[in-house]
Amino acid sequence: MQEGLTENDFIDTPRGRIVIVSDAKPEHIASMRLDEGMGVFAAPNYPASREKKALERISRNDGSRIILAYTEDGRIIGFVAIAPPSSAERWGKLTGDGLIEAMAIEVSKDWRGMGIANKMMEIGLGDPFFDDKIVMCTGYTWHWDLENSGLDKESYRRMLLEYLEKAGFVYYETDEPNVNLDAANFFSARIGPAVDAVLFNRFEQLLFKEEAWADFHGRPRTISEVLGKDVVAWKSREQDKVD
C-alpha cells in the first residue's frame, strides 16, 4: 500500500476494495501489473504493457498527474492521465502556463459500472495542484471503446459528458479541426477556482481562429444543456426516418 493513503482513497466494489491515488509515482506504477481488461489505448500490434510504460513516462513530468486505481494485490484497473497538451496542437501554446489535458481515461473492461471512474476524478481533481489550472478534455470517437461497451456513439458520448459534468467540466465550442471531424466529438474544460483572468482569456482566444465561430466566443454551456439539445436533435432525426 502506498505511503500516505487515507480512508478517503478507497472504494469498495462488488469485486473487492480498490485503492485510488491522485498522483501515482513512476516507481509505484512500475511495481504493478495491468489488469487483463486494460489496454484500450494501446495501439494495434503491440502489447498493452506499453500502456503502463506510457503511464510511467507521463508521471515523471512535474506538470502531469496520473490518477490511478488498483487492486490491493497490485493490479491496475483504471487511470486518468493528465499532462500538458502536445506542442503540435494549438493548445500547446499554453503548455507550462496552466492549461493541461485529461488525455486518457480508462477503466478495465471487467471493472466498469462500479463508480471507479467518478471516484478517480473526484479524488484526483480535489488535489490543490489543479486549483490554478484549466483542465481540458476532448472526446474523439476513434478512441471510444464502442465494441466492448455495447454502446453506439450517441450513447457513449452522453456517458462521457455526464461523467465530465460530475467532475466540474463545462462544454465549449471550438473550430479546432479534429474536434469537428465527427459530430459526436466534443471539447470540454474544467476551470480551476484560482485560475486568473489572463490564463482564462488566453484559453478562450485559442478556441477559435475562424470569425464564423465568433458567436460562440465566451459562451460555455453546461453539459446538461448540451445533452438536452442532443436529445431533441436525436428525436428529430428519428422522426425524419419515420416520415
Side-chain angles (χ1 to χ4, degrees):
M1 186 179 301
Q2 191 176 37
E3 183 180 355
L5 290 176
T6 69
E7 286 301 319
N8 292 329
D9 298 307
F10 296 97
I11 178 173
D12 288 313
T13 77
R15 298 195 61 190
R17 174 164 283 192
I18 297 303
V19 185
I20 298 177
V21 292
S22 61
D23 184 15
K25 303 303 181 185
E27 59 274 10
H28 188 209
I29 298 171
S31 71
M32 293 186 283
R33 65 190 188 280
L34 281 180
D35 186 73
E36 291 181 357
M38 296 290 287
V40 170
F41 289 94
N45 304 318
Y46 67 74
S49 59
R50 293 281 290 274
E51 185 173 76
K52 187 161 83 78
K53 292 294 184 184
L55 296 180
E56 293 174 41
R57 185 184 69 253
I58 293 170
S59 67
R60 293 190 184 98
N61 185 336
D62 290 339
S64 302
R65 285 291 189 274
I66 297 295
I67 305 166
L68 203 67
Y70 60 93
T71 62
E72 293 185 306
D73 65 353
R75 281 178 294 130
I76 298 171
I77 57 92
F79 68 83
V80 180
I82 301 178
S86 167
S87 59
E89 300 177 338
R90 69 169 66 175
W91 323 111
K93 293 180 180 179
L94 288 180
T95 292
D97 293 333
L99 178 63
I100 51 181
E101 179 178 10
M103 305 175 72
I105 303 164
E106 183 178 355
V107 173
S108 169
K109 289 179 285 188
D110 301 323
W111 291 83
R112 294 175 185 169
M114 302 182 195
I116 294 170
N118 287 328
K119 198 65 176 177
M120 284 194 294
M121 256 327 185
E122 176 190 331
I123 290 174
L125 295 183
D127 189 323
F129 170 81
F130 294 103
D131 285 355
D132 62 351
K133 295 176 178 64
I134 297 174
V135 183
M136 53 172 275
C137 185
T138 51
Y140 294 136
T141 57
W142 46 89
H143 286 161
W144 297 353
D145 190 14
L146 300 177
E147 180 179 356
N148 287 301
S149 70
L151 300 175
D152 58 23
K153 283 196 297 187
E154 289 177 341
S155 299
Y156 205 98
R157 166 188 164 90
R158 171 171 288 274
M159 176 188 70
L160 289 176
L161 284 170
E162 288 176 345
Y163 164 70
L164 290 167
E165 183 170 47
K166 290 176 184 176
F169 285 73
V170 293
Y171 192 100
Y172 282 90
E173 300 287 353
T174 177
D175 62 3
E176 200 283 324
N178 285 321
V179 174
N180 292 287
L181 280 175
D182 190 307
N185 289 351
F186 63 81
F187 183 92
S188 63
R190 175 188 181 272
I191 312 300
V195 167
D196 64 39
V198 173
L199 172 59
F200 183 75
N201 289 337
R202 293 180 66 197
F203 164 70
E204 277 202 325
Q205 289 167 9
L206 289 180
L207 292 171
F208 307 105
K209 290 186 176 179
E210 300 295 333
E211 290 186 7
W213 289 77
D215 285 346
F216 292 111
H217 187 72
R219 290 172 51 197
R221 291 181 287 167
T222 66
I223 287 173
S224 292
E225 177 189 354
V226 171
L227 291 177
K229 290 184 177 180
D230 283 353
V231 169
V232 171
W234 179 81
K235 288 181 177 178
S236 176
R237 288 197 300 271
E238 291 300 301
Q239 186 60 47
D240 288 343
K241 293 177 184 178
V242 173
D243 295 342

